[in-house]
Amino acid sequence: MLRILMNYAKVNRLSKIHPIEKTILFLLPIVIIGFIKESTLIISLNILIMIMIHVLIKSPKTIILKFTSGILIFSIFTSISLIFDQGLEYILILILKSISGSLCILLFTITTPIEDVLYFGAKHNWVSDMCDIAKNMIRFLILIEDEYLLLLNAVKSRHGFDTLTLRIKNSAKVMGILFINTMRRWKELREAVDSRGYTGKTVYLERKFDFSILRLLLEISYSAILIVLILILE
């Protein structure tokens, strides 16, 4: 899944748009909607807008449905305990916020390569070290995911998940082997990095982005509309 999202972000039609624009359009509404306490109309409006953008850029339906349904199920189960204290309306708002946030985050994820985010972060000294660590960890996470899928397919091919007992037993084995191999691989990666004289600083290639003042004004206007609606309806 991680590799698919990263690859899709590089070929998406919005991948060349400036990350600042996408941050304002996709991530800022999450913060704004976080202040909503009663109105479901504003959250529903944002959900509708984000769905329309997903349709326009032809986002992968399988990933969107899988991620959003997972967030929906999680939010429902975690909100059950609040029904008697807060009421159904409060639960509905929490669920709508979860769906809205997941759609926004997915849009940012599948339209913005992680390298672009790290590229801008590395320009600031107070987060440059974190960006360097994240840059190195991305490759490591991809290796872990590949090894996990390899182990999972190996167990499935031997009918290792046919019964509940086998599923529990073999899942523990897969996790154990994955942990051991991860520790071994980390040692190998560290030796490889040290042997190449790595100083701890990552070099980022210069990037060119498509920046539009008109688009930026429209994105800011959308956030302003959300704020106005909150002031009126809340």
Side-chain angles (χ1 to χ4, degrees):
M1 180 67 74
L2 179 61
R3 185 190 295 272
I4 294 175
L5 289 174
M6 292 177 61
N7 291 337
Y8 195 88
K10 294 179 180 179
V11 299
N12 189 274
R13 64 171 64 183
L14 300 182
S15 61
K16 298 300 182 182
I17 303 297
H18 201 288
I20 297 297
E21 293 186 46
K22 289 179 282 190
T23 300
I24 294 174
L25 181 59
F26 301 142
L27 299 186
L28 186 57
I30 299 177
V31 179
I32 296 174
I33 288 176
F35 291 95
I36 296 177
K37 297 180 180 179
E38 299 178 357
S39 177
T40 58
L41 177 62
I42 305 174
I43 309 176
S44 301
L45 173 64
N46 188 67
I47 291 175
L48 180 61
I49 296 296
M50 295 303 153
I51 291 177
M52 290 174 60
I53 297 176
H54 274 295
V55 173
L56 289 174
I57 66 174
K58 298 179 180 180
S59 298
K61 296 179 181 179
T62 305
I63 295 177
I64 303 302
L65 292 175
K66 184 177 181 179
F67 187 82
T68 306
S69 60
I71 294 294
L72 176 60
I73 294 172
F74 177 78
S75 60
I76 291 175
F77 277 102
T78 54
S79 302
I80 291 177
S81 60
L82 300 175
I83 292 179
F84 300 103
D85 293 335
Q86 304 293 340
L88 290 175
E89 184 178 355
Y90 181 81
I91 301 302
L92 178 61
I93 291 177
L94 282 181
I95 294 174
L96 288 176
K97 283 184 177 181
S98 300
I99 297 174
S100 174
S102 65
L103 290 173
C104 291
I105 293 173
L106 273 172
L107 273 172
F108 185 80
T109 303
I110 65 177
T111 59
T112 310
I114 185 64
E115 290 85 357
D116 294 349
V117 178
L118 299 177
Y119 168 74
F120 279 101
K123 291 184 176 182
H124 305 281
N125 293 330
W126 55 286
V127 292
S128 61
D129 291 337
M130 289 187 291
C131 291
D132 290 341
I133 294 173
K135 178 73 172 178
N136 295 323
M137 284 301 297
I138 289 173
R139 177 58 183 167
F140 192 58
L141 290 175
I142 292 176
L143 293 174
I144 293 175
E145 183 185 32
D146 290 344
E147 190 155 5
Y148 168 73
L149 293 175
L150 182 64
L151 291 171
L152 191 66
N153 292 331
V155 176
K156 285 183 178 180
S157 66
R158 293 167 175 80
H159 304 283
F161 294 125
D162 288 352
T163 64
L164 179 61
T165 303
L166 286 175
R167 192 176 297 117
I168 295 174
K169 182 179 179 180
N170 290 323
S171 295
K173 288 182 178 180
V174 169
M175 293 298 105
I177 295 173
L178 184 64
F179 177 78
I180 294 173
N181 289 346
T182 299
M183 294 297 101
R184 185 183 298 116
R185 189 181 296 276
W186 171 251
K187 182 180 179 181
E188 294 173 354
L189 286 174
R190 182 178 178 181
E191 291 176 353
V193 168
D194 291 340
S195 66
R196 288 165 173 80
Y198 180 64
T199 60
K201 294 296 181 180
T202 302
V203 179
Y204 296 87
L205 297 178
E206 191 69 25
R207 284 174 165 77
K208 295 182 180 180
F209 300 102
D210 180 13
F211 181 79
S212 171
I213 296 295
L214 178 59
R215 279 200 310 263
L216 181 63
L217 292 176
L218 291 174
E219 292 154 0
I220 295 175
S221 299
Y222 175 67
S223 297
I225 291 173
L226 293 178
I227 295 174
V228 172
L229 289 175
I230 291 175
L231 294 176
I232 294 175
L233 299 178
E234 285 290 304

